[in-house]
Amino acid sequence: MIQFDMRYIWLIPLLPAIGAAINGLLGIRYFSRKMAGAIACTTMTLALGVSLYAFWQLLGLPNEARAFDVVVAQWIPSIPLATRGGIGMFQAPWGFRLDPLSGMMILVVTGIGTLIHVYSTAYMHDEPRAGVARFFCYLNLFCFFMLMLVLGNNFLVMFVGWEGVGLCSYLLIGYWYEKKSAADAGKKAFITNRIGDWGFVLGVFLIYSTFGTLDFRAVQNAAAMMPVETMHFGVLSFICLFLFVGATGKSAQIPLYVWLPDAMEGPTPVSALIHAATMVTAGVYMLGRNAVLFSHAPYVMTIVAFVGVLTALMAATIGLVQYDIKRVLAYSTVSQLGYMFTAMGVGAFSAGAFHLMTHAFFKALLFLGSGSVIHAMAGEQDMRKMGGLKKHLPVTFATMMIGTLAIAGIFPLAGFFSKDEILFRAFVANKAIWVLAVITAFMTAFYMYRLMSMTFFGGYHGPAWDADPHAHAGAHDDSHGHGPWHGPHESPTPMTFPLMALAVGAIVAGFVGIPAAIGGGNSIEKFLEPSFTAQEVRLKPDTSLQADLAEHEESHVSVNVERGLMVFSLAVAIIGILLARKFYVTSPEISDRLADQWAGPHRVLSNKYYVDEAYDATVISGTFGAGRGLWTFDRRVVDGVVNGSGWFTIVSAWFSGLADRTVVDGLVNLVGRICEEGSFWFRKLQTGLVQNYAMWMLAGIFAFVSIYLFMR
């Protein structure tokens, strides 16, 4: 019975694909806004229902048997292809794999995706009718590709989803394509992701060359039998390094993070779905899916950890001084993704996946909450023009406060448990990484409460509406149809309901990972563990997993130390919140004074370390310069050679024509002339008189006899 049910997991990605097809083919022409939204929400709700049922069936299996593969069709048939070991038979089925990791991911994608679809029905209500259908088509299509990415049982199916979400991000970020900044942001995201995808593709090629297969399970099992590359940078290390390059592009890590903040040009639901809960976590998911490979490449793991923690720290420092409410959340996303990469780099794969799940709840909540604020302010995103909105948006304020406390790591909200697990594992693995992660945690609490303070507390700094209800009409032009503005107001129920549902998730999602140090069982770590190990681990005693366990036992810290670290990280978060409250609520003049005193660093952070400018001056200008140089070379050298060849051909043809007319035609004409003149004289000999012919015959005989006699 279970296997029969599991065979239909292909319905999970198919349902949103059907919604995208209906809205794309019919909705743009014929559907109303409500109809387009209803179809998109219905298909996502059905996908969520199938996902919940499949996940429930998965829980019913024994822990070591929680994996099920379904082959829908034979995609690429067997063809001979060279590998390092000789000629192998390459084939790629269109298959899906449901295991604990993909099971958790489909619940995140469909669950949060459904709430965001519901939210979008109100947020996008004033958009043009065809535009709404187009938006929901893109949104459904994105969910289809994301589900393909997390459910694929081999690298090629994952790659289809991987490229598909990149395409959909381009379409959704640039949804308002007539707005130049949105169009540019979409192109920036697309091109930056293609740079990372170059590394991913190389990694996939090297995987097949090494293992002769692209199936996740087969690659894991084969890699588990290989030695850990502790003394050299071998083929497994190169594979992992290439895959990591792909992950940095998709999950916005140094140096490919620059696309994510600009992606805020898209509608707020896009920011919540793509750039908080799903797409940007694809790189983290890919690293977790290949945990066996990475555990055999310790050098690359160290690179992952340091890149992750440095990304987290850098993005947090930039978030300290931003004033655009969505841009603060964008840099917060980059920072939290850095946390997840740090976890993966120190070998805490379960902790990284756990934080991926909790982050999806509170970050989607915060983004949708920011959209509610923007909706209330008719498109205004500058927090300096807000303030005092607590009384006008009570539901938005309460839910966003829950999300803020969760991301800050306040007990007992979801972010506390996942963040603390990462900090603990970082402390065990590398103290320097732990210090940087703690500093980042302090900054996270500070800038998130700064966002809340500038938006909801203090005095109102926006335009008046009583004296002139249309005073903010100018902002209406940029609010993309949120209607005439009559002052801050709470959002409609389709927008507040997802906020409340996500707030519940931000409160309770962490309870599945309560650590043993405070009486829990860390259920999610035990649940996810089979996804991060190979099937053959139990059969091979000297495996990397047991080596890692032995190493962990050697560096084991006491329960009291673990509890002390929890208290310390909680204290750091509380201090960050209290400091932000002091600077932006009780004594806001302090922040202004510090900004003036530290004008240089403040300017650097406000301009995001001038990374975009540096890229413009080097990579982008270099690319354009190289393009202009190649064009000049093509015009002057390549085209010069071609044009020179053409002129040479013309000149040689002229000489050839001249020779043909004077020499060849002259000789031909001379022969003809000779024949013509000769025929005139020979024609006179043809008199028709027999006596003349007899005379010539007699003369010929006489000449012949004379020559004969002379030659004797």
mmCIF file of all heavy atoms in Angstrom, residues 8 13 29 53 60 80 125 136 166 192 231 233 236 259 287 334 361 387 494 501-503 507 514:
data_model
loop_
_atom_site.group_PDB
_atom_site.id
_atom_site.type_symbol
_atom_site.label_atom_id
_atom_site.label_comp_id
_atom_site.label_asym_id
_atom_site.label_seq_id
_atom_site.Cartn_x
_atom_site.Cartn_y
_atom_site.Cartn_z
ATOM 1 N N TYR A 8 3.193 7.991 -6.725
ATOM 2 C CA TYR A 8 2.547 9.167 -7.297
ATOM 3 C C TYR A 8 3.132 10.469 -6.777
ATOM 4 O O TYR A 8 2.486 11.520 -6.838
ATOM 5 C CB TYR A 8 1.038 9.111 -7.022
ATOM 6 C CG TYR A 8 0.376 8.002 -7.788
ATOM 7 C CD1 TYR A 8 0.165 6.756 -7.195
ATOM 8 C CD2 TYR A 8 0.000 8.179 -9.118
ATOM 9 C CE1 TYR A 8 -0.419 5.722 -7.904
ATOM 10 C CE2 TYR A 8 -0.584 7.149 -9.838
ATOM 11 C CZ TYR A 8 -0.800 5.922 -9.228
ATOM 12 O OH TYR A 8 -1.369 4.903 -9.937
ATOM 13 N N PRO A 13 5.229 17.969 -8.248
ATOM 14 C CA PRO A 13 5.626 19.048 -9.161
ATOM 15 C C PRO A 13 4.659 19.256 -10.318
ATOM 16 O O PRO A 13 4.586 20.359 -10.875
ATOM 17 C CB PRO A 13 6.998 18.587 -9.665
ATOM 18 C CG PRO A 13 6.972 17.110 -9.543
ATOM 19 C CD PRO A 13 6.124 16.799 -8.356
ATOM 20 N N ARG A 29 -5.369 35.760 -21.496
ATOM 21 C CA ARG A 29 -6.371 36.261 -22.453
ATOM 22 C C ARG A 29 -7.769 36.364 -21.842
ATOM 23 O O ARG A 29 -8.506 37.314 -22.128
ATOM 24 C CB ARG A 29 -6.446 35.343 -23.674
ATOM 25 C CG ARG A 29 -5.287 35.504 -24.652
ATOM 26 C CD ARG A 29 -5.462 34.554 -25.816
ATOM 27 N NE ARG A 29 -4.472 34.798 -26.857
ATOM 28 C CZ ARG A 29 -4.648 35.616 -27.889
ATOM 29 N NH1 ARG A 29 -5.789 36.265 -28.007
ATOM 30 N NH2 ARG A 29 -3.696 35.794 -28.787
ATOM 31 N N TYR A 53 0.676 14.087 2.528
ATOM 32 C CA TYR A 53 0.356 12.659 2.562
ATOM 33 C C TYR A 53 1.601 11.816 2.310
ATOM 34 O O TYR A 53 1.849 10.817 2.995
ATOM 35 C CB TYR A 53 -0.713 12.360 1.517
ATOM 36 C CG TYR A 53 -1.184 10.928 1.548
ATOM 37 C CD1 TYR A 53 -1.952 10.451 2.606
ATOM 38 C CD2 TYR A 53 -0.863 10.047 0.522
ATOM 39 C CE1 TYR A 53 -2.389 9.137 2.644
ATOM 40 C CE2 TYR A 53 -1.287 8.733 0.550
ATOM 41 C CZ TYR A 53 -2.046 8.285 1.617
ATOM 42 O OH TYR A 53 -2.456 6.987 1.658
ATOM 43 N N GLY A 60 6.037 6.701 8.244
ATOM 44 C CA GLY A 60 5.620 5.363 8.637
ATOM 45 C C GLY A 60 6.635 4.283 8.339
ATOM 46 O O GLY A 60 6.488 3.147 8.806
ATOM 47 N N PRO A 80 27.041 4.819 -25.134
ATOM 48 C CA PRO A 80 28.431 4.670 -24.669
ATOM 49 C C PRO A 80 29.083 6.036 -24.481
ATOM 50 O O PRO A 80 28.983 6.917 -25.330
ATOM 51 C CB PRO A 80 29.097 3.874 -25.796
ATOM 52 C CG PRO A 80 28.256 4.136 -27.001
ATOM 53 C CD PRO A 80 26.854 4.334 -26.509
ATOM 54 N N HIS A 125 -3.674 42.614 -6.422
ATOM 55 C CA HIS A 125 -5.053 42.733 -6.884
ATOM 56 C C HIS A 125 -5.263 43.887 -7.853
ATOM 57 O O HIS A 125 -6.117 43.820 -8.758
ATOM 58 C CB HIS A 125 -5.995 42.904 -5.683
ATOM 59 C CG HIS A 125 -7.448 42.958 -6.053
ATOM 60 N ND1 HIS A 125 -8.126 44.153 -6.252
ATOM 61 C CD2 HIS A 125 -8.349 41.968 -6.295
ATOM 62 C CE1 HIS A 125 -9.378 43.891 -6.580
ATOM 63 N NE2 HIS A 125 -9.540 42.586 -6.614
ATOM 64 N N PHE A 136 0.988 34.911 -11.761
ATOM 65 C CA PHE A 136 0.711 33.605 -11.156
ATOM 66 C C PHE A 136 1.246 32.460 -12.023
ATOM 67 O O PHE A 136 1.611 31.399 -11.502
ATOM 68 C CB PHE A 136 -0.788 33.442 -10.906
ATOM 69 C CG PHE A 136 -1.263 34.133 -9.659
ATOM 70 C CD1 PHE A 136 -2.092 35.233 -9.725
ATOM 71 C CD2 PHE A 136 -0.860 33.683 -8.414
ATOM 72 C CE1 PHE A 136 -2.518 35.875 -8.579
ATOM 73 C CE2 PHE A 136 -1.281 34.318 -7.259
ATOM 74 C CZ PHE A 136 -2.111 35.422 -7.332
ATOM 75 N N GLY A 166 16.303 29.497 -11.984
ATOM 76 C CA GLY A 166 17.050 30.669 -12.436
ATOM 77 C C GLY A 166 16.280 31.456 -13.478
ATOM 78 O O GLY A 166 16.234 32.693 -13.443
ATOM 79 N N THR A 192 24.538 36.434 -13.168
ATOM 80 C CA THR A 192 25.337 36.000 -12.021
ATOM 81 C C THR A 192 25.131 34.519 -11.735
ATOM 82 O O THR A 192 26.085 33.789 -11.429
ATOM 83 C CB THR A 192 24.986 36.830 -10.779
ATOM 84 O OG1 THR A 192 25.111 38.220 -11.075
ATOM 85 C CG2 THR A 192 25.915 36.491 -9.618
ATOM 86 N N MET A 231 45.224 14.375 2.798
ATOM 87 C CA MET A 231 46.625 14.700 2.516
ATOM 88 C C MET A 231 46.835 15.315 1.135
ATOM 89 O O MET A 231 47.947 15.714 0.812
ATOM 90 C CB MET A 231 47.490 13.421 2.636
ATOM 91 C CG MET A 231 47.404 12.744 4.005
ATOM 92 S SD MET A 231 47.941 13.813 5.349
ATOM 93 C CE MET A 231 49.672 13.994 4.946
ATOM 94 N N PHE A 233 44.686 17.268 -2.541
ATOM 95 C CA PHE A 233 43.493 17.854 -3.157
ATOM 96 C C PHE A 233 43.176 17.024 -4.389
ATOM 97 O O PHE A 233 43.619 17.320 -5.494
ATOM 98 C CB PHE A 233 43.754 19.311 -3.529
ATOM 99 C CG PHE A 233 42.509 20.144 -3.625
ATOM 100 C CD1 PHE A 233 42.039 20.821 -2.521
ATOM 101 C CD2 PHE A 233 41.811 20.245 -4.820
ATOM 102 C CE1 PHE A 233 40.888 21.602 -2.608
ATOM 103 C CE2 PHE A 233 40.669 21.006 -4.920
ATOM 104 C CZ PHE A 233 40.202 21.695 -3.812
ATOM 105 N N LEU A 236 37.862 14.105 -5.699
ATOM 106 C CA LEU A 236 36.666 14.410 -4.913
ATOM 107 C C LEU A 236 36.666 15.869 -4.474
ATOM 108 O O LEU A 236 35.620 16.526 -4.448
ATOM 109 C CB LEU A 236 36.583 13.485 -3.695
ATOM 110 C CG LEU A 236 36.390 12.001 -3.985
ATOM 111 C CD1 LEU A 236 36.273 11.211 -2.690
ATOM 112 C CD2 LEU A 236 35.145 11.777 -4.842
ATOM 113 N N TRP A 259 23.668 39.752 -6.673
ATOM 114 C CA TRP A 259 22.383 39.792 -7.362
ATOM 115 C C TRP A 259 21.206 39.836 -6.394
ATOM 116 O O TRP A 259 20.141 40.382 -6.714
ATOM 117 C CB TRP A 259 22.235 38.575 -8.281
ATOM 118 C CG TRP A 259 22.137 37.260 -7.560
ATOM 119 C CD1 TRP A 259 23.157 36.438 -7.208
ATOM 120 C CD2 TRP A 259 20.932 36.610 -7.117
ATOM 121 N NE1 TRP A 259 22.688 35.322 -6.566
ATOM 122 C CE2 TRP A 259 21.319 35.405 -6.498
ATOM 123 C CE3 TRP A 259 19.582 36.933 -7.173
ATOM 124 C CZ2 TRP A 259 20.394 34.517 -5.939
ATOM 125 C CZ3 TRP A 259 18.660 36.059 -6.625
ATOM 126 C CH2 TRP A 259 19.083 34.859 -6.020
ATOM 127 N N LEU A 287 24.403 21.049 -1.390
ATOM 128 C CA LEU A 287 25.527 20.624 -0.553
ATOM 129 C C LEU A 287 25.112 19.504 0.382
ATOM 130 O O LEU A 287 25.841 18.523 0.567
ATOM 131 C CB LEU A 287 26.061 21.814 0.255
ATOM 132 C CG LEU A 287 27.279 22.536 -0.336
ATOM 133 C CD1 LEU A 287 26.960 23.132 -1.710
ATOM 134 C CD2 LEU A 287 27.744 23.644 0.607
ATOM 135 N N VAL A 334 21.161 37.033 2.874
ATOM 136 C CA VAL A 334 22.530 36.662 2.522
ATOM 137 C C VAL A 334 23.285 36.203 3.764
ATOM 138 O O VAL A 334 24.012 35.204 3.748
ATOM 139 C CB VAL A 334 23.254 37.852 1.854
ATOM 140 C CG1 VAL A 334 24.708 37.506 1.574
ATOM 141 C CG2 VAL A 334 22.553 38.246 0.557
ATOM 142 N N PHE A 361 10.443 29.937 7.462
ATOM 143 C CA PHE A 361 9.255 30.466 8.141
ATOM 144 C C PHE A 361 9.434 31.930 8.513
ATOM 145 O O PHE A 361 8.641 32.789 8.120
ATOM 146 C CB PHE A 361 8.944 29.640 9.398
ATOM 147 C CG PHE A 361 8.296 28.326 9.112
ATOM 148 C CD1 PHE A 361 9.027 27.151 9.153
ATOM 149 C CD2 PHE A 361 6.951 28.250 8.795
ATOM 150 C CE1 PHE A 361 8.440 25.929 8.881
ATOM 151 C CE2 PHE A 361 6.351 27.037 8.523
ATOM 152 C CZ PHE A 361 7.092 25.876 8.562
ATOM 153 N N GLY A 387 7.711 54.921 10.806
ATOM 154 C CA GLY A 387 7.674 55.190 12.232
ATOM 155 C C GLY A 387 6.256 55.261 12.767
ATOM 156 O O GLY A 387 5.338 55.754 12.108
ATOM 157 N N PRO A 494 -6.563 38.262 3.185
ATOM 158 C CA PRO A 494 -5.674 37.367 2.415
ATOM 159 C C PRO A 494 -4.190 37.662 2.611
ATOM 160 O O PRO A 494 -3.358 36.803 2.314
ATOM 161 C CB PRO A 494 -6.098 37.633 0.966
ATOM 162 C CG PRO A 494 -7.507 38.103 1.056
ATOM 163 C CD PRO A 494 -7.568 38.905 2.320
ATOM 164 N N ALA A 501 -0.165 32.593 9.968
ATOM 165 C CA ALA A 501 0.224 31.185 9.823
ATOM 166 C C ALA A 501 1.740 31.027 9.892
ATOM 167 O O ALA A 501 2.258 30.121 10.557
ATOM 168 C CB ALA A 501 -0.312 30.641 8.496
ATOM 169 N N LEU A 502 2.468 31.922 9.230
ATOM 170 C CA LEU A 502 3.928 31.854 9.268
ATOM 171 C C LEU A 502 4.455 32.192 10.657
ATOM 172 O O LEU A 502 5.492 31.655 11.076
ATOM 173 C CB LEU A 502 4.517 32.811 8.228
ATOM 174 C CG LEU A 502 4.331 32.398 6.768
ATOM 175 C CD1 LEU A 502 4.686 33.548 5.831
ATOM 176 C CD2 LEU A 502 5.173 31.172 6.441
ATOM 177 N N ALA A 503 3.761 33.081 11.374
ATOM 178 C CA ALA A 503 4.176 33.399 12.743
ATOM 179 C C ALA A 503 4.071 32.167 13.635
ATOM 180 O O ALA A 503 4.944 31.925 14.483
ATOM 181 C CB ALA A 503 3.322 34.539 13.293
ATOM 182 N N ILE A 507 7.197 30.161 15.564
ATOM 183 C CA ILE A 507 7.198 29.849 17.000
ATOM 184 C C ILE A 507 7.486 28.374 17.245
ATOM 185 O O ILE A 507 8.319 28.022 18.095
ATOM 186 C CB ILE A 507 5.840 30.240 17.627
ATOM 187 C CG1 ILE A 507 5.640 31.753 17.564
ATOM 188 C CG2 ILE A 507 5.752 29.750 19.070
ATOM 189 C CD1 ILE A 507 4.257 32.216 17.975
ATOM 190 N N ILE A 514 14.992 20.412 19.457
ATOM 191 C CA ILE A 514 15.433 20.757 20.808
ATOM 192 C C ILE A 514 16.619 19.866 21.179
ATOM 193 O O ILE A 514 16.519 18.635 21.125
ATOM 194 C CB ILE A 514 14.294 20.570 21.829
ATOM 195 C CG1 ILE A 514 13.113 21.480 21.463
ATOM 196 C CG2 ILE A 514 14.779 20.865 23.242
ATOM 197 C CD1 ILE A 514 11.903 21.288 22.346
#
